[in-house]
Amino acid sequence: MANSTVRRSVNRDRRSGQEKSKPLPLVTRRFAAWTVEVTLIMTSAIAPFGLGVYVQARTEEKQPINPVLATAKDAIATTLALSPSNRTQQVAPLTNWLWTGALVTPIILSSWQLYLLAKTGSTLPKRWFGVRVVTVAGNPAGMRRILLREVVGAWGLPLLVAYALWHLSGAFPSLGMLAGFSLLTVLGEGFTARFNRYRRCWHDFLAGTYVMDANRSYAALLGNLRPATSPLIPQYAPYYASRPIVPTVAMATAIPPHKRQKPNWWRWMRRNPSFALLFITLSSMAAVLGTLVGTQVYIQTQANQRQLRQQNSQQFLALVQKLSDSAPTTFEERRKAITALGTLNDPQALQMLVDLLGQETDPLLLDTIQQTIASAGLRVIPHLRRSNQSIANALDYVRYSSKPEELTLHQQRLQATQRAIANLLSIYSGNLNGVDLSRTILGENLTDSAVPFSLFLDNVNLSGIQLRGANLNQGSFRGTQWQSAGEDRRWNTADDRIADLSEAQLKAANLTEANLSRTAMRGANLTHAILNRANLVGTNLMGANLSSTQIVGANLQDVVLENASLTGTDLAAANLSRANLRAARLGRASALGAQLQYANATASDWRGADLSGADLSHANLKDADLSDSRLSGVSFRSAQLQNTNLRNADLRKADLRGAQLVQTDMQGAILFKSPSPDQFIQAPPEAMLSAIVEGVDFSNAKNLDAKQLAYICTQGGRHPRCP
């Protein structure tokens, strides 16, 4: 009796201890484990990627992005409809490694977690929270079931549904909406556990798995869960015991007949030999017949292609004979032979046409060749490009020779290829995406004394064309469009067609009202070019030369002009808000009334520039040189002028309220107009065209003279020497 009393007290103590340390519900722990899993994988990608972005912004040395990372970036950008301007091709060396780690680390971590889940039933977060995933027999699910559960059920199909909703709805291409759709579909799929008895999500039904409390052992008696004490465990039990279960007679009798064994094709074939033999015979005959038909079709196709190539070769040889200088052919026969060359589906025929273009002297035949090349389409562009570059190289070689007739001949041949290319660009306007004319000579060579070729491509759609390093000097591109929205008709997506003019020569080119938004123009030479009222929003002009260029009234919002040269450039009324002008050279530039709000002009050079009436509010002018510049009427409200050089700058009527004047050099800066000696009554500050300094802190400014201090103190400025 005493022993039973002791046991009851011990049991009460145990129950009270269990009640005090009662674990969280399984649903809560399951969600917590899922959250930790997702967080770990996301952190493994975001941390190195963010560090790579930080290094990228602070490292001058660049190198090409590695091919694996470039392929992955292009695939991600295409899938997520990212802007092409965000697809960096030049990165810092350390960024290359960090971004590669951001790509590889989540894959390794996910694979390791899937392996643990398949072999042990728990990932590391699931083990921390006491959650296991098992089959109906109580065993770990295995890799096949886990891949079906996680890759297909839990993530693949929900994300596919979210992507379809995003792409087909008006939310495209907003990445925020895609993230919202993805979160809703993934959580919605997990919420399906609310509608069944064993709290199984849809992906559990798909893979035949169950989620259980790893800290307890369960068995199922005809669907009623209770602690495992009985050997009667049906096959459809949702949870498993902690040790292997040995089937018993009671278990066998409790299993419904239709649940005891899975379909077996071999058993069916043994029971129905006639049908099995017929099925195998028909399948074999169909396979043999399909193989024979496919082989015959392949052989016939190859034979037809060989015959067609042979016919084209014979026709090509016959036409070459007619076009040879020694052939006794009439003008009409030569013209027909030239036209026939354009109909042949043979690269040799196209190359022959291009060669004739540089050799023929008869104007009528030259016109026929030009028409034939135009009818051949864009497939002749690579041949024209090679011929153009070859003739240009030969021209550079003979330019300094003593044979002027040879120089003239090469110039005529070069101009013939230029006219043919320009004609094709005009005819196929809007269909030039991917056409490569890099390093092609299409503009005037300013060193030639002969009559140059003039390139006119006004109002032409050149979106997506590749003109890296091309010579487009003195070309006319008035109203030309260099980018388009692509097939999806939506801007700022991966399929946008954007021209590449990196390192192109555009000296004295006319680009008035041209649409160059987000075009790649890194290192381009635009000296003396005309860009009035052009659209240059987001264009990359890093390191470009825009000296003495006219950019009046142009839209340059978010433009990248880092390390660019704009000496003597006319930027009157241009919109340069949020522009990147870091280390740009703008000496003697004219920016009357320009908008430079929030622009980054760190370490830029504005010596002798005229910025009268410009808006530089909230601009970053740290370490900039504005000495000897005219800043009358400029708004510097809330601008950063730390360590800025304002020596001898004209600051009359400038608004300096809110500006950060730390170590700013004010030596000789003009803050007000001194009254004339015969003026008896001093005019008010507004009439004297004085700078607005009320409330401005000049405590840390440098080289302030007595007159400047007196004006600052009388006009409400702050300085330790003010009374």
Side-chain angles (χ1 to χ4, degrees):
M1 187 68 179
N3 291 337
S4 62
T5 303
V6 172
R7 283 197 298 269
R8 283 196 298 270
S9 64
V10 171
N11 291 335
R12 282 197 301 270
D13 293 340
R14 288 178 179 176
R15 285 195 298 270
S16 62
Q18 290 175 358
E19 291 175 357
K20 292 179 182 179
S21 60
K22 184 178 180 181
L24 294 172
L26 179 60
V27 174
T28 304
R29 286 182 284 146
R30 182 176 179 179
F31 179 76
W34 176 84
T35 304
V36 173
E37 289 170 351
V38 174
T39 303
L40 287 175
I41 294 174
M42 292 181 63
T43 303
S44 67
I46 294 174
F49 180 80
L51 188 57
V53 172
Y54 178 83
V55 174
Q56 171 79 355
R58 286 162 176 77
T59 304
E60 297 293 337
E61 181 185 356
K62 306 293 182 183
Q63 64 177 210
I65 194 170
N66 72 68
V68 175
L69 189 57
T71 303
K73 282 175 66 66
D74 289 340
I76 294 172
T78 303
T79 304
L80 300 181
L82 297 179
S83 170
S85 61
N86 296 329
R87 295 158 72 172
T88 309
Q89 298 301 322
Q90 294 286 329
V91 298
L94 183 57
T95 300
N96 241 342
W97 289 101
L98 289 170
W99 285 358
T100 303
L103 178 67
V104 175
T105 306
I107 297 175
I108 295 175
L109 183 58
S110 301
S111 301
W112 176 244
Q113 296 286 60
L114 290 174
Y115 175 80
L116 290 177
L117 191 61
K119 296 301 181 183
T120 67
S122 296
T123 61
L124 292 178
K126 282 184 171 62
R127 187 177 303 172
W128 299 336
F129 288 95
V131 178
R132 297 191 71 180
V133 177
V134 296
T135 63
V136 71
N139 302 318
M143 188 57 69
R144 183 182 65 83
R145 289 179 182 270
I146 289 302
L147 290 177
L148 187 62
R149 180 184 191 270
E150 299 292 331
V151 178
V152 178
W155 293 100
L157 291 178
L159 293 180
L160 184 61
V161 172
Y163 187 82
L165 290 174
W166 172 68
H167 207 276
L168 298 176
S169 67
F172 180 85
S174 171
L175 292 181
M177 293 300 297
L178 176 60
F181 283 141
S182 301
L183 185 62
L184 286 176
T185 53
V186 171
L187 293 180
E189 192 278 331
F191 191 70
T192 56
R194 178 68 178 79
F195 303 103
N196 66 88
R197 183 177 182 181
Y198 300 124
R199 297 296 184 261
R200 299 176 72 193
C201 296
W202 183 83
H203 57 260
D204 288 313
F205 283 103
L206 182 66
T209 56
Y210 295 82
V211 179
M212 64 159 288
D213 188 344
N215 300 320
R216 302 178 66 182
S217 298
Y218 285 96
L221 282 174
L222 301 178
N224 297 318
L225 295 179
R226 71 179 188 182
T229 58
S230 172
L232 185 60
I233 303 179
Q235 191 177 4
Y236 51 82
Y239 300 98
Y240 77 108
S242 59
R243 55 178 59 88
I245 300 168
V246 180
T248 63
V249 176
M251 292 174 60
T253 57
I255 300 174
H258 63 281
K259 295 283 186 177
R260 293 179 186 175
Q261 52 189 345
K262 297 180 180 180
N264 191 312
W265 287 106
W266 176 250
R267 187 179 296 108
W268 180 87
M269 291 171 63
R270 293 180 61 185
R271 292 178 179 177
N272 304 277
S274 300
F275 288 105
L277 182 60
L278 178 61
F279 176 76
I280 294 173
T281 303
L282 292 177
S283 300
S284 301
M285 291 176 61
V288 172
L289 182 61
T291 303
L292 292 174
V293 172
T295 303
Q296 186 63 29
V297 170
Y298 175 78
I299 293 173
Q300 187 63 38
T301 302
Q302 294 296 316
N304 293 338
Q305 291 179 356
R306 284 195 299 270
Q307 185 178 1
L308 181 60
R309 285 195 295 267
Q310 186 176 3
Q311 291 176 358
N312 287 338
S313 180
Q314 291 175 355
Q315 293 178 12
F316 174 71
L317 292 175
L319 294 173
V320 169
Q321 292 177 358
K322 289 183 180 181
L323 292 171
S324 63
D325 295 334
S326 59
T329 54
T330 63
F331 172 83
E332 188 63 24
E333 289 175 340
R334 289 179 65 85
R335 191 182 66 81
K336 290 182 178 179
I338 291 171
T339 305
L341 279 175
T343 61
L344 295 179
N345 188 17
D346 191 343
Q348 291 181 340
L350 298 178
Q351 186 61 49
M352 182 69 181
L353 276 174
V354 174
D355 293 340
L356 288 172
L357 187 65
Q359 298 172 6
E360 189 60 58
T361 57
D362 191 319
L364 295 177
L365 287 178
L366 273 175
D367 185 61
T368 302
I369 296 172
Q370 292 279 9
Q371 293 178 7
T372 305
I373 288 176
S375 63
L378 297 176
R379 57 194 179 100
V380 76
I381 285 285
H383 304 282
L384 285 170
R385 177 192 173 198
R386 285 193 294 268
S387 178
N388 177 279
Q389 293 173 348
S390 177
I391 296 172
N393 292 333
L395 184 61
D396 290 337
Y397 178 76
V398 302
R399 179 174 287 117
Y400 305 103
S401 67
S402 58
K403 299 179 180 179
E405 65 281 358
E406 188 175 357
L407 178 63
T408 303
L409 178 61
H410 280 81
Q411 289 175 342
Q412 291 175 351
R413 290 179 176 178
L414 180 63
Q415 291 178 9
T417 61
Q418 291 173 327
R419 290 192 186 93
I421 294 173
N423 192 27
L424 286 171
L425 296 181
S426 298
I427 294 172
Y428 295 96
S429 172
N431 298 298
L432 301 170
N433 186 43
V435 172
D436 192 357
L437 287 170
S438 301
R439 294 177 295 279
T440 306
I441 310 299
L442 293 174
E444 291 187 21
N445 194 330
L446 302 180
T447 61
D448 291 342
S449 58
V451 178
F453 165 75
S454 296
L455 179 64
F456 289 95
L457 290 172
D458 295 346
N459 300 309
V460 176
N461 188 346
L462 299 176
S463 56
I465 195 170
Q466 303 294 313
L467 289 164
R468 293 179 62 89
N471 185 338
L472 304 169
N473 290 333
Q474 296 195 0
S476 180
F477 304 96
R478 291 179 60 93
T480 300
Q481 184 174 347
W482 298 88
Q483 51 97 19
S484 62
E487 295 180 358
D488 62 1
R489 307 292 182 184
R490 298 176 185 269
W491 290 104
N492 203 30
T493 57
D495 69 338
D496 288 358
R497 297 174 178 177
I498 300 177
D500 190 350
L501 290 163
S502 301
E503 301 178 1
Q505 297 294 316
L506 287 155
K507 298 177 183 176
N510 188 349
L511 291 156
T512 303
E513 298 180 353
N515 187 354
L516 289 156
S517 175
R518 296 183 293 129
T519 304
M521 301 183 72
R522 186 187 182 106
N525 191 339
L526 289 150
T527 54
H528 299 282
I530 302 174
L531 287 159
N532 296 336
R533 300 180 301 282
N535 183 1
L536 291 157
V537 176
T539 302
N540 185 356
L541 283 158
M542 181 181 290
N545 188 352
L546 292 98
S547 301
S548 303
T549 302
Q550 297 182 40
I551 320 180
V552 178
N555 189 350
L556 295 107
Q557 295 182 69
D558 301 296
V559 71
V560 179
L561 286 164
E562 186 175 350
N563 292 311
S565 175
L566 293 97
T567 305
T569 298
D570 190 352
L571 289 160
N575 187 349
L576 286 150
S577 57
R578 300 183 303 277
N580 182 359
L581 292 160
R582 184 176 180 272
R585 299 175 296 281
L586 296 111
R588 301 186 307 279
S590 176
L592 300 172
Q595 300 178 43
L596 288 148
Q597 305 96 320
Y598 296 95
N600 179 13
T602 307
S604 55
D605 185 356
W606 299 80
R607 286 177 293 180
D610 189 350
L611 287 155
S612 299
D615 188 352
L616 283 156
S617 56
H618 300 278
N620 185 351
L621 290 159
K622 292 180 180 178
D623 302 307
D625 190 349
L626 290 159
S627 58
D628 301 307
S629 59
R630 185 171 183 179
L631 304 173
S632 177
V634 173
S635 174
F636 287 106
R637 295 191 68 123
S638 302
Q640 299 184 44
L641 297 172
Q642 293 94 329
N643 203 33
T644 303
N645 187 353
L646 291 173
R647 288 192 174 195
N648 303 315
D650 185 355
L651 290 165
R652 289 177 294 180
K653 288 194 72 175
D655 189 350
L656 294 167
R657 286 175 293 184
Q660 303 295 318
L661 298 168
V662 179
Q663 296 299 311
T664 306
D665 193 346
M666 302 288 293
Q667 182 175 349
I670 303 173
L671 297 174
F672 62 95
K673 181 180 180 180
S674 301
S676 58
D678 56 349
Q679 186 174 356
F680 294 100
I681 302 175
Q682 184 175 352
E686 292 78 11
M688 294 190 306
L689 303 177
S690 304
I692 303 174
V693 298
E694 184 179 358
V696 180
D697 188 0
F698 287 86
S699 301
N700 296 312
K702 298 190 303 183
N703 300 324
L704 288 168
D705 58 29
K707 290 183 179 180
Q708 291 172 332
L709 280 172
Y711 175 78
I712 291 169
C713 295
T714 57
Q715 298 301 318
R718 290 183 293 167
H719 193 274
R721 294 171 61 182
C722 289

